[in-house]
Each structure stands twice: as structure tokens, then as C-alpha cells.
């Protein structure tokens, strides 16, 4: 079974600085998809960024980028120029390929990292 | 465009009571999912549906039932609530289960079972 591990329960960053959140996962599959979701105090789950395992290029979305190391099974999230609105829980998630081993596309989540942003 | 909505937002039950959580989406999505989120945990899949009239079990299905009578609605039922079912419940939907499709989440329902 696939597992996702986020080893940092809490992180803190100064406004305008850069912070990196760690995520590792365990899988025997070669094709899969990785996601970072943000959950602010409102509890809404918001997709931040997505990475396809078959792509070597790291995904980027404005101030958010990932460092995807497939061999090491590592998928870290870098937030540049941190803003107060970035304060939230961040979840790393894994998704099996559609219809692979009966998969219907559900997400497997890590336990989350709580990010605080100091003004 | 409301996206994914959940009813109710909060609920307190006594042990043994029953209730139904409603998830509605207006994006014509085929796939719908129910997850639960417990303190210190990520979301875990309870049940899911790949289309109207179909449902399947996820990782933690015990104590829950679901129905998908209409494409836009996915109901989660608790027949006899237990304190272990105290949690935040999230519904999500996607166009298909294919990997490039994003799952859109509802705002969650906070359920407390006394």
C-alpha cells in the first residue's frame, strides 16, 4: 500500500522569506501523481500544485514550486516570498493512475504540516 | 457557480442517533468522494462513486453507507453514530478519475458524536 509521510508537523517562516515543506512517499508503482493541497482555517481544501511522475521537470505555480526526486521518492514544496495568506495546513497527497489495480483516483494524504507566517 | 457544497456545516449527535450528510456539485462531475479528517491525520477515503447509481468502499467504510441516486448528489449516512465517528467530513468531486483531473473539495462538515 502506498503511504505518504510529512515529517514536519509545524513550520514557521518570516514574511517575504522562502520556506520548504518536505514530503516523502512509498510506492512500488512507476506512474503516479503527486499533489500539494492547502487548508486554511476555513477548512477549504485548495489545490496548490500538481506533479506527474513521468515528467522530469518540476512543476511551478507562481510563488510555489516543487522539488520532485523520483528515485528518492521525495516531493518537497517551496514557497517563495511568503505572504501572511500562506499560513495554513499543507497536505501532500498521492494518487494512483486511473484504473491501475482497481484504483478509481482517490487521494492518499500525509498528516499535514502547519505553516505559520510571521509578519 | 457554487462548486461543491455540503449540508450541514456543523452537527452534534448523541450515540446511536442517525443522520445523513448531503454533498451537491453543479459541475456535472462523474466521480464523487467522501473523506474524513481526524486530528493529526490527513484525509482518508470512506466511500466513492464513479457515476449515478454506483458506489464503492474506500479505506474506512465501516459504520457508513452512501447513495448516489442523482448525479449531482452524494449522500453519506450514519445509521447508528458512535463517538469514533467524530470528525470533519469532506466531499470531493472530479470530472473523471483520470489523473489530470483535479478533485474539487467542499467546505467540510464538522460532526461531533457525544
Amino acid at each position: 500500500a502506498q503511504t505518504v509521510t510529512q515529517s514536519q508537523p509545524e513550520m514557521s517562516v518570516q514574511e517575504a522569506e522562502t520556506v520548504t515543506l518536505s514530503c516523502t512517499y512509498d510506492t512500488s508503482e512507476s506512474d503516479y501523481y503527486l499533489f500539494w493541497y492547502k487548508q486554511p482555517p476555513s477548512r477549504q481544501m485548495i489545490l496548490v500544485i500538481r506533479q506527474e511522475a513521468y515528467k522530469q521537470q518540476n512543476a511551478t505555480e507562481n510563488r510555489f514550486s516543487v522539488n520532485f526526486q523520483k528515485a528518492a521518492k521525495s516531493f518537497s514544496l517551496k514557497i517563495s516570498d511568503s505572504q501572511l495568506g500562506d499560513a495554513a495546513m499543507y497536505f501532500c497527497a498521492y494518487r494512483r493512475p486511473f484504473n491501475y489495480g482497481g484504483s478509481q483516483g482517490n487521494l492518499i494524504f500525509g498528516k499535514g504540516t502547519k505553516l505559520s507566517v510571521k509578519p | 457557480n457554487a462548486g461543491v457544497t455540503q449540508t450541514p456545516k456543523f452537527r452534534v449527535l448523541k450515540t446511536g442517533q442517525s443522520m445523513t450528510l448531503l454533498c451537491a456539485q453543479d459541475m456535472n462531475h462523474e466521480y464523487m468522494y467522501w473523506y474524513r479528517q481526524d486530528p493529526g491525520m490527513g484525509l482518508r477515503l470512506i466511500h466513492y462513486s464513479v457515476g449515478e447509481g454506483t458506489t464503492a468502499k474506500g479505506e474506512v467504510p465501516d459504520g457508513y453507507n452512501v447513495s448516489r441516486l442523482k448525479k449531482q448528489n452524494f449522500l453519506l449516512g450514519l445509521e447508528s453514530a458512535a463517538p469514533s465517528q467524530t470528525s470533519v467530513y469532506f466531499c470531493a468531486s472530479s470530472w473523471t478519475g483520470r489523473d489530470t483531473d483535479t478533485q474539487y473539495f467542499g467546505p467540510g462538515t464538522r460532526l461531533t458524536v457525544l
Side-chain angles (χ1 to χ4, degrees):
Chain A
Q2 294 77 24
T3 59
V4 177
T5 302
Q6 294 178 249
S7 59
Q8 307 152 316
E10 296 188 26
M11 292 283 285
S12 180
V13 63
Q14 204 73 32
E15 194 175 8
E17 297 294 310
T18 296
V19 64
T20 298
L21 308 184
S22 301
C23 173
T24 58
Y25 56 93
D26 186 23
T27 184
S28 58
E29 296 160 352
S30 58
D31 288 330
Y32 49 86
Y33 298 78
L34 297 165
F35 305 82
W36 278 98
Y37 276 87
K38 170 185 177 181
Q39 186 180 41
S42 66
R43 291 205 312 258
Q44 184 73 48
M45 295 291 287
I46 302 166
L47 178 66
V48 174
I49 201 164
R50 170 176 53 220
Q51 174 80 42
E52 292 87 349
Y54 62 85
K55 291 186 177 178
Q56 293 185 345
Q57 186 174 6
N58 289 326
T60 62
E61 287 288 341
N62 300 314
R63 297 184 294 108
F64 298 87
S65 62
V66 298
N67 183 4
F68 174 48
Q69 301 289 328
K70 190 173 183 179
K73 297 179 182 176
S74 172
F75 182 61
S76 60
L77 175 69
K78 185 172 80 172
I79 306 174
S80 304
D81 186 25
S82 296
Q83 300 175 358
L84 295 177
D86 294 334
M89 284 290 290
Y90 286 83
F91 291 96
C92 179
Y94 170 101
R95 186 174 184 178
R96 300 174 73 188
F98 174 72
N99 218 20
Y100 181 89
S103 168
Q104 295 295 346
N106 61 289
L107 296 163
I108 300 169
F109 287 85
K111 295 184 178 182
T113 296
K114 183 178 182 179
L115 178 66
S116 302
V117 180
K118 298 178 181 178
Chain B
N1 190 338
V4 180
T5 58
Q6 293 183 231
T7 308
K9 290 185 170 55
F10 304 92
R11 186 70 186 270
V12 178
L13 290 178
K14 294 181 179 179
T15 296
Q17 287 185 317
S18 63
M19 78 162 295
T20 300
L21 306 183
L22 170 63
C23 176
Q25 52 92 4
D26 60 3
M27 297 174 282
N28 202 31
H29 285 171
E30 291 290 340
Y31 284 63
M32 298 187 75
Y33 304 85
W34 275 108
Y35 294 89
R36 62 177 287 175
Q37 183 181 28
D38 301 305
M41 303 281 287
L43 281 68
R44 293 181 294 167
L45 183 68
I46 304 171
H47 286 281
Y48 63 97
S49 169
V50 301
E52 183 178 321
T54 69
T55 63
K57 294 180 180 179
E59 180 186 357
V60 288
D62 294 342
Y64 304 96
N65 57 75
V66 289
S67 64
R68 185 98 180 268
L69 299 179
K70 293 182 179 180
K71 185 177 183 178
Q72 64 268 34
N73 296 337
F74 194 28
L75 305 178
L76 177 70
L78 287 73
E79 290 186 351
S80 180
S84 61
Q85 294 178 303
T86 294
S87 189
V88 180
Y89 292 85
F90 286 94
C91 176
S93 71
S94 65
W95 181 247
T96 70
R98 294 197 177 276
D99 311 284
T100 55
D101 292 326
T102 298
Q103 286 190 17
Y104 295 87
F105 284 84
T109 294
R110 183 177 293 278
L111 174 66
T112 302
V113 183
L114 302 176

